[in-house]
Amino acid sequence: IDMTLRSLAALESPADEVLVVDDGSVDGTGSVVEELLLQFGINGCVHYQSQQGVSAARNRGLVEATGDYVLFLDSDDWVAPQLTEHLRATISQCANQAPDVVCWRFDHVREDGSHLGTFDRSFSDAIPRVSSGPETLDRVLCGKTQSVWTGSAAYRRGFLEDHGIRFTEGCAAGEDSEFIWKALSLANAVGWV
């Protein structure tokens, strides 16, 4: 999680808030995160709960969030320094309606930063910068011309609340795909950074 927090601290335009959910760790992770948030000057906090699993932890973060958009990061995810600037620009370019979901290209990297691959297919020139959720879902599942991953999408919090979209608690595998598919199936507008 150190690298995740370092990447958030390096954002050129800081995130409005960073929420970390300690899902019953017994190794002092929460205390380490609290220290790192202070050390890196990140506007954030740690929420503690008994061990309930990844879906419950993400749902807790969603309940505690106050921003207009939420992004779910795992402890081994990193973000690019320009992410928040690109997100804000994409949201403002959707003049008719704030997008329910905003997605972007993502890379797979090792812990040492070495590059394993980029998912460029989500940036084909033939793909519109704004489309409906069902159109996007069709490209993800059927056409396989776009990719969406847990850490490569931000969701309008009001949209998730209005539709009661949550991670299925108790689900230990595929909970992220299920969440993404539920959100895309109901989204009116999906913007691509």
Side-chain angles (χ1 to χ4, degrees), residues 141-153:
L141 295 177
C142 299
K144 305 220 183 281
T145 56
Q146 286 184 286
S147 297
V148 180
W149 194 254
T150 308
S152 75

Side-chain angles (χ1 to χ4, degrees), residues 99-150:
D100 296 320
V101 184
V102 180
C103 305
W104 53 89
R105 176 179 59 187
F106 57 96
D107 295 333
H108 278 247
V109 295
R110 290 186 182 93
E111 270 189 47
D112 65 6
S114 59
H115 194 259
L116 293 171
T118 300
F119 284 79
D120 287 319
R121 65 183 182 190
S122 56
F123 274 73
S124 165
D125 290 337
I127 295 172
R129 288 308 206 198
V130 179
S131 60
S132 74
E135 290 168 335
T136 303
L137 188 58
D138 180 66
R139 287 193 297 273
V140 168
L141 295 177
C142 299
K144 305 220 183 281
T145 56
Q146 286 184 286
S147 297
V148 180
W149 194 254
T150 308

